[in-house]
Amino acid sequence: DSGVTQTPKHLITATGQRVTLRCSPRSGDLSVYWYQQSLDQGLQFLIQYYNGEERAKGNILERFSAQQFPDLHSELNLSSLELGDSALYFCASSAATNEKLFFGSGTQLSVL
Amino acid sequence: DAKTTQPPSMDCAEGRAANLPCNHSTISGNEYVYWYRQIHSQGPQYIIHGLKNNETNEMASLIITEDRKSSTLILPHATLRDTAVYYCIVRVLGGQNFVFGPGTRLSVLP
């Protein structure tokens, strides 16, 4: 158990819908990262937050947004969903000075 | 961050050492070498990291060549549970994100 909690574990929805994925980092970790893993793309970095502020942005679509709240949990919002958004979405956290990333078990999103 | 090159797949007999190579010929002086692995569809798991000295922990050993252009992750006694995709990443300490390549799919065979 990495200490990073992601909910829900599975999500099935339809095209055009909007979903929210939630991540609770390890206790004390200030940084939260979001990654997308699809079969043909591997692990793709989406976005990073540090103590509530956006720190880095990767290949995140404009239809996707994220935020980190004062209690340090983070949410990834995916809107106008398309079939191609079906993937595993991972959240990871790290401490301010510790460079190890700890990953959650992921949310499997299926867009039908 | 420097790019890495890993073989797409490797096999290893159970109980033997698994030696996973990684080339990072464009690594710069302040970039660390990190190794993660991903078992099936679980979240990636940190294994080890180092700058220039060899490192060992309870999971594995990391051997970095003197010129730092390549490294080897060693699992001393591979078990079936070590079957996974292993990712080698080079990154500046405090860099903004970890870039995962395709990795090496290690199959430990009974």
Side-chain angles (χ1 to χ4, degrees), chain A:
Chain A
D1 182 11
S2 67
V4 178
T5 303
Q6 289 189 249
T7 56
K9 291 192 185 306
H10 303 277
L11 197 48
I12 301 174
T13 188
T15 55
Q17 295 298 306
R18 172 190 169 94
V19 297
T20 297
L21 312 183
R22 183 188 168 100
C23 170
S24 294
R26 290 190 324 149
S27 177
D29 283 0
L30 299 179
S31 270
V32 168
Y33 304 71
W34 286 98
Y35 284 83
Q36 178 192 56
Q37 187 172 36
S38 53
L39 286 175
D40 57 346
Q41 291 290 323
L43 269 163
Q44 298 289 315
F45 168 70
L46 295 178
I47 197 163
Q48 179 203 354
Y49 280 83
Y50 176 80
N51 202 20
E53 304 267 335
E54 183 184 302
R55 182 87 181 266
K57 209 174 229 187
N59 300 320
I60 188 166
L61 299 172
E62 286 192 12
R63 301 183 286 108
F64 296 0
S65 65
Q67 54 184 327
Q68 186 179 26
F69 295 87
D71 67 353
L72 301 178
H73 92 271
S74 178
E75 291 181 356
L76 179 66
N77 300 297
L78 315 176
S79 62
S80 303
L81 285 166
E82 302 175 358
L83 296 177
D85 298 327
S86 295
L88 257 173
Y89 290 84
F90 288 107
C91 167
S93 73
S94 68
T97 54
N98 186 323
E99 290 299 306
K100 301 175 189 177
L101 281 188
F102 293 87
F103 282 81
S105 57
T107 293
Q108 177 68 62
L109 174 66
S110 298
V111 182
L112 306 178

